Amino acid sequence: MTHALFLPHARLDDLIRQVQSAGYRVIGPKLEAGVIHYAELNVAAELPWGWQAEQTPGRYRLHRSQQTLAFAWAAPAQGLKPWFFAPVEPLWRLRRTPDGFGLEPCLPDAKPIAVLGARACDLAAVARQDRILEHDPHYQARRQDALFIALHCTHPAASCFCTSAGTGPRASRFDLGLTELDTGFVLEVGSPRGGKLIEPLALAGATADQIQAAQTAVAAAAAQQTRRLPAGDLAGRLAACIDHPRWDAVAQRCLACGNCTQACPTCFCHARRETASADGQSAEHSRHWDSCFGELHGHLAGFQVRPQTAQRYRQWLTHKLGNWWAQFGASGCVGCGRCLTWCPAGIDLTEEVAAVLGEAPCGR
Ligand code: SF4
Ligand code: SF4
């Protein structure tokens, strides 16, 4: 960080107004329904000021904090996935016409969004989904003009392991990047579009002390993480452990509920369904998120290829950490920790992969 500006907390609304007047819907963290999650945001007062989120396997609790920071907590309950890759959406409709059927595409008419406070892990997940859904017009309609105001993490949860996943806690690609200090944010410009956006704010430069404090806080967040992914060629190492007894052991606990896949910001499996109207005049072709833990996911050509939970858990973990590399040139895990937090059985991916590979579970 060679040059940076300083945005006082009191001027966060100026930034939000500036983004709104540039034509964006602002999405940011909000406390709703007992969790902090990304939601539409109009003013800075809607941010979760003074809250912290405790996250451990199978547990999520909010606590009031002594500090009055806006971002003193880690990954929101859900990532950015639903904002670009809708959980359920129509892809096209057919309508009966006098000479047959007419096809109506259903592209979303989406106003571009600006994400305020996008975490490094979530930005890494968006980059992975960009690769997978590169030719998906529905995804691209929401994604192509999105603006990202990143938040370099200074308060990781116990469930986080972005450092070992190589994705955080500092975000690497953004339009604007924020690091929160007690009275405001050290602000970095990451793109010409971001720079243009803040020009009218005429912000003062950050002092050397502020820049140093921001760097120290992010480095401390990295050092605080105790969970980690094993290093090395995980694809090859996991392929050699396909018959490990740990798959059966974890299946004794796993409910095959699919929560982990729904909470995961990179999981992209989906299914399609046709719904015909009762009068036979139209039909809709839609898609919805699916999960490799579900019964139908492994039902191929009349056979169930993964009848047991052990096979489904193994498929999920070996695909995500191993086979993704050959398919997409990256891991399917960005280390956000959501699959740990939102697993009702408290199953910890880092512990499971370490056990399968015969390693100690990350020094905890
Ligand atoms: S690992 Fe946990 S969240 Fe995932 S399917 Fe099993 S019980 Fe559900
Ligand atoms: S596998 Fe778990 S920790 Fe990794 S990106 Fe998905 S939800 Fe996050």
Side-chain angles (χ1 to χ4, degrees):
M1 197 190 305
T2 48
H3 177 66
L5 303 169
F6 190 73
L7 176 74
H9 278 142
R11 295 205 59 200
L12 197 48
D13 271 324
D14 293 345
L15 175 63
I16 293 173
R17 273 193 293 274
Q18 191 61 27
V19 173
Q20 287 166 332
S21 64
Y24 295 96
R25 276 166 80 198
V26 179
I27 306 302
K30 268 168 107 165
L31 200 167
E32 287 177 340
V35 295
I36 295 170
H37 69 154
Y38 292 112
E40 192 146 1
L41 189 91
N42 289 306
V43 290
E46 294 175 275
L47 291 165
W49 296 95
W51 286 96
Q52 285 188 326
E54 175 195 347
Q55 298 193 48
T56 55
R59 182 178 170 85
Y60 180 98
R61 294 287 184 279
L62 291 171
H63 303 289
R64 285 309 268 176
S65 154
Q66 299 295 328
Q67 299 169 301
T68 51
L69 302 179
F71 295 95
W73 39 273
Q78 180 65 271
L80 293 169
K81 181 167 77 172
W83 292 96
F84 303 121
F85 174 34
V88 183
E89 72 178 326
L91 299 183
W92 40 263
R93 291 190 188 90
L94 282 178
R95 253 180 235 292
R96 200 180 282 280
T97 61
D99 45 1
F101 282 95
L103 182 71
E104 289 174 11
C106 303
L107 277 179
D109 182 15
K111 186 173 175 182
I113 66 168
V115 183
L116 171 65
R119 302 285 169 158
C121 55
D122 286 334
L123 289 171
V126 169
R128 282 157 175 69
Q129 290 222 312
D130 283 352
R131 222 171 297 172
I132 296 158
L133 298 166
E134 184 183 358
H135 302 296
D136 184 287
H138 293 76
Y139 178 83
Q140 290 301 336
R142 298 186 180 92
R143 168 68 184 89
Q144 61 190 356
D145 294 322
L147 179 108
F148 295 105
I149 303 173
L151 192 279
H152 305 307
C153 232
T154 53
H155 289 74
S159 50
C160 294
F161 52 98
C162 65
T163 305
S164 71
T167 59
R170 186 183 152 76
S172 53
R173 281 175 50 197
F174 47 81
D175 294 292
L176 295 170
L178 305 173
T179 309
E180 190 171 26
L181 303 178
D182 286 347
T183 58
F185 303 90
V186 171
L187 185 154
E188 296 158 76
V189 174
S191 75
R193 184 168 60 153
K196 199 157 180 284
L197 201 65
I198 56 157
E199 253 171 34
L201 301 185
L203 297 171
T207 64
D209 283 353
Q210 287 167 331
I211 292 173
Q212 182 61 51
Q215 287 172 337
T216 302
V218 176
Q224 239 175 290
Q225 294 181 20
T226 54
R227 286 189 160 78
R228 65 170 171 80
L229 283 178
D233 166 27
L234 289 187
R237 294 180 70 194
L238 284 167
C241 300
I242 221 73
D243 295 320
H244 198 285
R246 186 72 179 201
W247 304 119
D248 288 323
V250 70
Q252 298 296 313
R253 300 169 60 209
C254 175
L255 309 171
C257 63
N259 261 19
C260 47
T261 56
Q262 304 299 289
C264 179
T266 68
C267 278
F268 59 88
C269 284
H270 53 272
R272 296 182 177 218
R273 76 165 69 100
E274 316 291 336
T275 315
S277 66
D279 62 5
Q281 293 304 303
S282 64
E284 186 174 276
H285 181 86
S286 60
R287 76 171 164 201
H288 56 93
W289 291 359
D290 200 359
S291 168
C292 51
F293 286 91
E295 183 71 22
L296 288 178
H297 192 278
H299 199 259
L300 303 176
F303 295 96
Q304 175 51 259
V305 298
R306 287 187 289 275
Q308 292 157 4
T309 299
Q311 296 164 324
R312 295 179 194 180
Y313 188 88
R314 183 179 65 189
Q315 159 67 22
W316 178 67
L317 189 138
T318 56
H319 184 220
K320 194 159 270 303
L321 300 182
N323 301 337
W324 262 64
W325 284 100
Q327 274 183 291
F328 309 117
S331 170
C333 179
V334 295
C336 71
R338 291 185 178 96
C339 58
L340 287 64
T341 300
W342 298 103
C343 173
I347 294 170
D348 176 346
L349 167 147
T350 63
E351 198 173 308
E352 296 310 314
V353 69
V356 166
L357 298 178
E359 292 190 3
C362 53
R364 277 173 291 119

